[in-house]
Amino acid sequence: MSDWLSPKRPMSIAHRGASAYAQENTLGAFSLAAKLGADMWEVDLHQTADGQVIAFHDFALVDGRALAQLSYAEVRNAVSEGEAPLLSDIIALAKEANCGIYADIKAPEASVETSRMLQAAGITRAILGAFDPSAVRALRAAQTPYPLAALIPIGVDPFEASKDADIIHLCWEKLARPQDLLTDEFFQKCDTLGKKVVLWHEEDPRRMADLRGKPVLGICSDRPELVNPVRFRNNTQVICHRGANKIAPENTLSAAHACFAAGFSHVEIDVHVTADRELVVLHDATLERTTNGQGPVCNHTLAELRALSAGAWFSPFYRAEKIPTLDEVLELASLYEGKLYIELKSAPADLIWARVEAFGLQDRVFFWSFNAELLKDMRGLSDQAHLMMRRQDFDTLEDTISNLAPSLIEYTIHDDWTDFSKLRSSDIPFMVAYNGDDPSIIEKIVDASPDMVNLDQPFLFADICRRKGLTIE
């Protein structure tokens, strides 16, 4: 059996592409999945009336017309831009991105043609799967060189349903604790029968933590970065500035998800207070740049702000994204056991500290503000509050350390880094902040080995660390 079918860790199979962050089954979703570290893309395949193999999940359009009864031109005229791409275009993109294809063949008539196209393109890393046993049998009869997967719904005997397949693909995502069914006895039987196992699409970080240690070939996920999150050998903590803001709109729950799911330690957020004394996460003091609203944030109630879109400016996919509350971000950090860097904008320190205490996250949050009075207020509330100080705001390192007993010192690429050796012998960690995208500067930061980094390009940082052997694979 091919080496790629015996990975050291579960393969990350992007479910319909990175469908948590882009329209499913589109070239954009597949391309984004590659950036997020997917090994393979799960692609739903149909065949049109004129013989074109296309990526689309449902058997019919929203108006009820069956794909199999329409020409490709008719399908394209009926769907949004980017939807229903040709398999040939997906194959070309997969070759360019060095990603494999996991074909979920919805319509059996697309089976043999899918195999032929993959072979003609020289694709070696491909798995062909289907719920319909006739599709698997047709591929077996056609002597496809690719491993075949039987997709197994809940309540079906996986071993009986996969008699003609090489891979048992369990579609158990709707069970409360499907991981409990993955017993040693189950995997022993798989080994005896020579079956590999692929798991359902999983987006819950706690369940994923249980699954990634199982002896499986791969795990599907709408968030492909969640399958094998990055781990740094030197325990570097990576802060995603306003969340993973190149993947999803800044300061949103989606941007925070992308950060934590990828294995980065912190999400940086900005907090304002509303007219009715609620706390919301947004960078600017006004609404125009990142929402479809107008005017100062503090002049609006929470209900008014929640009626706005916080993502349409970034992509139509995010038009329903809302301005998050601080509580929602704290809850998400708790779910991932992640950490936060909270910048106090207009929000009073006492309101923020009370919410952090309510979630029990005092040791996993640090604070900073351009308003020095807000930092003094935070220190006055608690000796335990973790404050950051910027080196650029003080004449000497000693002055920086003596101001409000900081837990962290921040440097930029323009500051004097000769302080680093002094800080390494102290109990105070140091961080380098860089909001640019110059690889040479990010490599310089990697080589400096700070305790923490605050970046707009955390995935580029991780790629450079991986190239230098600084990640644990």
Side-chain angles (χ1 to χ4, degrees):
M1 186 170 284
S2 299
D3 289 343
W4 68 270
L5 289 169
S6 299
K8 294 180 180 179
R9 54 169 178 73
M11 288 193 297
S12 171
I13 304 172
H15 184 241
R16 307 175 196 171
S19 54
Y21 310 112
Q23 178 62 44
E24 65 178 42
N25 280 309
T26 61
L27 296 180
F30 298 132
S31 179
L32 184 55
K35 295 177 182 177
L36 292 173
D39 300 295
M40 304 188 83
W41 307 332
E42 188 263 359
V43 186
D44 298 309
L45 296 175
H46 290 270
Q47 189 165 319
T48 61
D50 53 347
Q52 295 292 334
V53 180
I54 63 171
F56 201 80
H57 181 265
D58 297 345
F59 282 81
L61 301 175
V62 292
D63 60 13
R65 289 182 294 164
L67 297 179
Q69 297 174 4
L70 300 172
S71 69
Y72 179 59
E74 289 174 317
V75 173
R76 287 292 304 120
N77 287 335
V79 299
S80 300
E81 183 178 356
E83 288 189 280
L86 291 166
L87 175 59
S88 57
D89 290 335
I90 297 169
I91 290 173
L93 184 63
K95 292 180 71 172
E96 180 182 336
N98 192 31
C99 283
I101 291 180
Y102 195 107
D104 181 351
I105 300 171
K106 297 296 184 181
E109 58 268 21
S111 304
V112 175
E113 178 61 11
T114 295
S115 177
R116 185 200 65 78
M117 292 176 67
L118 291 166
Q119 291 178 70
I123 298 293
T124 56
R125 284 186 297 146
I127 296 171
L128 309 185
F131 279 105
D132 191 330
S134 68
V136 175
R137 289 195 295 267
L139 287 162
R140 186 70 74 197
Q143 298 183 323
T144 181
Y146 301 111
L148 303 179
L151 277 64
I152 314 296
I154 295 170
V156 173
D157 182 344
F159 299 105
E160 178 65 25
S162 64
K163 288 188 300 185
D164 298 315
D166 308 295
I167 295 168
I168 297 173
H169 182 140
L170 301 171
C171 299
W172 291 351
E173 60 270 10
K174 293 184 179 179
L175 293 176
R177 285 190 57 84
Q179 64 267 44
D180 292 345
L181 301 179
L182 301 177
T183 62
D184 290 342
E185 292 75 18
F186 171 80
F187 286 113
Q188 287 169 5
K189 188 169 183 178
C190 291
D191 287 342
T192 299
L193 296 174
K195 307 286 188 184
K196 298 283 187 177
V197 178
V198 168
L199 302 183
W200 56 88
H201 71 91
E202 183 59 71
E203 286 72 53
D204 183 277
R206 292 171 180 166
R207 295 202 327 186
M208 185 67 85
D210 288 342
L211 297 176
R212 66 171 65 99
K214 302 289 186 182
V216 298
L217 173 62
I219 305 173
C220 293
S221 183
D222 296 349
R223 306 183 192 278
E225 73 280 15
L226 181 61
V227 178
N228 295 298
V230 65
R231 294 181 297 162
F232 297 96
R233 291 190 182 280
N234 54 2
N235 295 317
T236 302
Q237 298 188 66
V238 176
I239 301 164
C240 296
H241 182 236
R242 307 179 197 174
N245 68 69
K246 304 304 179 186
I247 305 299
E250 65 178 56
N251 272 315
T252 61
L253 292 180
S254 290
H257 264 297
C259 168
F260 287 139
F264 301 122
S265 60
H266 290 68
V267 172
E268 186 267 347
I269 57 172
D270 306 279
V271 182
H272 287 276
V273 67
T274 68
D276 49 350
R277 301 282 288 177
E278 300 291 341
L279 299 174
V280 293
V281 175
L282 193 79
H283 180 268
D284 296 0
T286 55
L287 296 166
E288 286 80 358
R289 184 176 66 87
T290 59
T291 79
N292 58 343
Q294 293 184 328
V297 176
C298 61
N299 287 356
H300 294 76
T301 66
L302 177 61
E304 290 169 339
L305 294 173
R306 293 288 278 181
L308 302 175
S309 169
W313 67 273
F314 186 88
S315 163
F317 179 79
Y318 288 104
R319 60 185 175 275
E321 190 86 31
K322 302 299 182 184
I323 297 172
T325 63
L326 176 59
D327 273 17
E328 286 176 322
V329 178
L330 291 167
E331 183 177 6
L332 190 66
S334 297
L335 174 66
Y336 281 97
E337 298 184 1
K339 302 176 183 180
L340 295 174
Y341 162 11
I342 297 179
E343 181 175 336
L344 289 70
K345 293 289 190 178
S346 65
D350 61 335
L351 293 184
I352 292 180
W353 183 247
R355 300 318 303 153
V356 170
E357 279 193 314
F359 280 84
L361 296 180
Q362 300 95 311
D363 285 336
R364 287 199 270 143
V365 176
F366 72 88
F367 305 92
W368 184 76
S369 179
F370 279 103
N371 185 337
E373 293 305 312
L374 288 177
L375 290 178
K376 291 179 182 177
D377 291 344
M378 186 64 76
R379 175 55 71 229
L381 289 167
S382 175
D383 290 338
Q384 304 305 310
H386 297 296
L387 305 184
M388 184 196 81
M389 292 296 148
R390 301 193 311 172
R391 178 65 181 84
Q392 63 184 286
D393 295 330
F394 300 89
D395 292 333
T396 67
L397 177 59
E398 290 69 28
D399 291 341
T400 312
I401 294 173
S402 65
N403 187 69
L404 299 178
S407 301
L408 176 67
I409 309 298
E410 180 196 84
Y411 290 78
T412 71
I413 60 170
H414 304 295
D415 291 327
D416 182 0
W417 289 6
T418 57
D419 288 344
F420 290 2
S421 59
K422 297 178 184 177
L423 287 168
R424 289 190 204 281
S425 61
S426 75
D427 294 329
I428 302 177
F430 60 95
M431 175 175 77
V432 175
Y434 175 58
N435 296 336
D437 58 6
D438 186 331
S440 65
I441 292 176
I442 293 178
E443 184 162 6
K444 180 182 176 182
I445 295 171
V446 170
D447 292 341
S449 192
D451 300 299
M452 304 171 75
V453 292
N454 181 15
L455 303 168
D456 268 350
Q457 295 284 356
F459 291 94
L460 178 55
F461 178 87
D463 286 342
I464 292 173
C465 287
R466 192 173 291 112
R467 176 168 53 81
K468 290 176 171 285
L470 299 176
T471 60
I472 301 171
E473 300 301 323

